[in-house]
Amino acid sequence: MATIDHEKDLGIARVPSSENDMDGKSLDADALKLAEMGYTQDMKRNFSVWSVLGVGFSLTNSWFGISAALVTGINSGGPLLIIYGIILIALISTCVGISLSELASALPNAGGQYFWANELAPRKYANFAGYLTGWMAWAGAIFTSASVALALGAALVGCWQLGHPDYVIQTWHTFLAYQVVNIFCFFFNCYGKILPAVASSTLYISLLSFAAILITVPAVAPTHQHAQFVFATFINNTGWSSGGVAFIVGLVNTNWPFACLDCATHMAEEVHRPERMIPIAIMGTVAIGFVTSWFYSISMFFSIVGDFAEIGATPTYVPILQLFYNALSNTAGAIVLEALIIATGLGCMIASHTWQSRLCWSFARDRGLPGWKFLSKVHPTLDVPIQAHFVSCVIVAAVGCLYLGSYTAFNSMVTACIVLLYISYAIPIICLLIKGRNNIKHGPFWMGPLGLFSNYVLLLWTLFTLVMFSFPYAMPVEPGNMNYVSAVYFVVVLIIVVDWFVRGRKSYRSQDNRHAEAEMLQNEVVIR
């Protein structure tokens, strides 16, 4: 009993001992590998590779992201930006996916990038590297959930406006819808046993909705745009005199649908053979995301009816909804198609809640967050980190208040989620390169020279986005259209620095402590 109490004080969990908690030699081997890292099996391994892919793709959901991002991307490059931007970002995301998959295969752990940074960094800097990465990753997850909730809130309010033309959308209407979406999706992550089924279902819903819209809209549109419009039309309504800067600023809209590729890595302790399954889920997410988003964009741009400017100036503030209405000439039909996007987006929000709660829980398990004893608990019957889930959702609700202050808050949230996550990926990659790629034990997924190339692409793109995505979205700059992401960075860094000096540098679970605890845990895990 004393040993168990000691482990609870350390913020680590016991290996389940019942027959139902173990699933043969595979799970025993998984538990042993986890013990070698200094952790015990806490979450049940209920997820299959298909359900993990469901979580990963449901969160990324590239074609849904393109639909939501049209609200700003349509003025920052138009069709040309979207069509070719998707190709560019997909190639970069492939490199990001390879980099993450290599580490997820070599070091499968629910902590993901913050664990890798702590494990790979030089001993002197290991604690702060892991701590900084964990905060960046969790902050990125929070802003991801906020951006998805805001996109869904805008879609719901837009549907109401389309059905009631005299209705004028106010900022607070969208804010209320944002909060409703966040609260509604909260409940789906409160019971662990249903999550694999929910993840698989949302994957099916997304793909079926994609197919329905892809076929319906071009089929019923009375006229179609020519190929030159779709593949060679660049629109710059940003106020930037340089088309190149407008294109770069607009890339944030095609980058958002490919963000959050680390999601599957945080399910490593809920799936069998994670060293093989997680890379499949990550690379599958990129592949499905590219195919769906690219063909979806081409189909929608060919189906534009009437003046392109009308879509950007729609009173619904949802360009894709206006596109549906113009193509179908039917309000109910347009709302039904938008409802499919909303259903897909709700799956995305549920997956985002799953992801942010696992990040919060695993990071708290290593004492990386204030209140870690409270946040690191897994409910014994619900089989979810319910406290971490609740606190994360409360913070998402608070972040939504940013929208009340600035209409461009959506872009700021999108940019924050993209760049903060890239930084959290870059830190462990830098640590890997310093340590030497061949100085760690490789997992089944290891790409050799291609992996090294992918590492450098990830680092260069992280630096590029940190600088270029901080540019104003429109010129001249006014308080209402300013890019506030720099202020977001400042607040996040301030919180990290204050917590590190007040609490983190003393209480964060060090590399040495984890390795010492790993020896103790390995003696308790017996392979059957």
Side-chain angles (χ1 to χ4, degrees), residues 168 230 384 438:
V168 178
V230 176
V384 293
N438 291 324

Side-chain angles (χ1 to χ4, degrees), residues 126-171:
N127 283 5
F128 186 69
Y131 177 85
L132 177 63
T133 305
W135 268 102
M136 289 291 180
W138 190 45
I142 293 295
F143 282 107
T144 299
S145 293
S147 61
V148 174
L150 188 54
L152 288 170
L156 289 168
V157 174
C159 286
W160 180 263
Q161 197 285 330
L162 186 65
H164 303 78
D166 295 333
Y167 170 68
V168 178
I169 297 176
Q170 303 293 328
T171 301

Side-chain angles (χ1 to χ4, degrees), residues 112-429:
Q113 56 266 49
Y114 90 78
F115 171 78
W116 305 332
N118 185 256
E119 185 70 15
L120 299 174
R123 183 177 177 181
K124 181 179 180 181
Y125 305 105
N127 283 5
F128 186 69
Y131 177 85
L132 177 63
T133 305
W135 268 102
M136 289 291 180
W138 190 45
I142 293 295
F143 282 107
T144 299
S145 293
S147 61
V148 174
L150 188 54
L152 288 170
L156 289 168
V157 174
C159 286
W160 180 263
Q161 197 285 330
L162 186 65
H164 303 78
D166 295 333
Y167 170 68
V168 178
I169 297 176
Q170 303 293 328
T171 301
W172 66 271
H173 299 161
T174 305
F175 171 76
L176 288 180
Y178 169 105
Q179 301 296 349
V180 170
V181 168
N182 188 43
I183 294 171
F184 174 76
C185 292
F186 166 83
F187 294 102
F188 286 87
N189 272 276
C190 290
Y191 189 55
K193 288 186 177 180
I194 68 170
L195 279 177
V198 170
S200 298
S201 299
T202 54
L203 176 59
Y204 287 122
I205 290 172
S206 175
L207 295 178
L208 290 174
S209 298
F210 160 76
I213 296 173
L214 188 74
I215 295 171
T216 301
V217 178
V220 301
T223 61
H224 297 88
Q225 296 290 336
H226 46 77
Q228 183 178 0
F229 171 80
V230 176
F231 295 102
T233 300
F234 181 77
I235 297 173
N236 180 10
N237 293 328
T238 63
W240 283 100
S241 58
S242 170
V245 175
F247 182 88
I248 290 172
V249 170
L251 277 176
V252 67
N253 303 290
T254 53
N255 205 153
W256 185 56
F258 287 89
C260 320
L261 291 179
D262 65 296
C263 174
T265 69
H266 305 291
M267 310 301 293
E269 296 173 33
E270 297 176 68
V271 63
H272 301 296
R273 292 172 296 160
E275 68 277 1
R276 296 182 182 275
M277 300 300 105
I278 301 302
I280 292 173
I282 292 174
M283 301 311 296
T285 296
V286 176
I288 298 174
F290 169 69
V291 171
T292 55
S293 62
W294 199 64
F295 284 102
Y296 176 79
S297 299
I298 291 174
S299 176
M300 293 304 102
F301 283 130
F302 267 117
S303 303
I304 290 176
V305 176
D307 187 3
F308 185 75
E310 180 186 356
I311 295 176
T314 174
T316 67
Y317 295 114
V318 185
I320 194 66
L321 177 59
Q322 188 66 44
L323 189 154
F324 292 159
Y325 177 74
N326 291 353
L328 275 64
S329 298
N330 184 283
T331 300
I335 292 176
V336 168
L337 293 182
E338 184 66 23
L340 295 178
I341 293 180
I342 292 172
T344 299
L346 290 174
C348 179
M349 188 66 183
I350 293 168
S352 190
H353 279 177
T354 304
W355 170 51
Q356 70 181 17
S357 64
R358 281 4 178 227
L359 253 173
C360 180
W361 161 71
S362 60
F363 194 38
R365 182 175 61 175
D366 283 319
R367 307 190 284 278
L369 295 171
W372 61 268
K373 287 186 178 181
F374 175 76
L375 296 172
S376 62
K377 297 182 184 298
V378 175
H379 195 281
T381 56
L382 299 178
D383 192 34
V384 293
I386 192 68
Q387 288 99 318
H389 175 45
F390 175 78
V391 170
S392 296
C393 288
V394 169
I395 296 174
V396 171
V399 168
C401 297
L402 288 174
Y403 185 70
L404 294 175
S406 170
Y407 182 72
T408 57
F410 175 78
N411 260 23
S412 297
M413 290 184 201
V414 167
T415 304
C417 93
I418 292 171
V419 177
L420 291 175
L421 289 174
Y422 277 142
I423 293 174
S424 77
Y425 304 160
I427 295 173
I429 294 300

Side-chain angles (χ1 to χ4, degrees), residues 38-52:
Y39 301 91
T40 52
Q41 185 69 54
D42 199 1
M43 305 288 285
K44 295 179 181 178
R45 297 184 184 264
N46 294 324
F47 282 76
S48 65
V49 65
W50 186 251
S51 53
V52 172

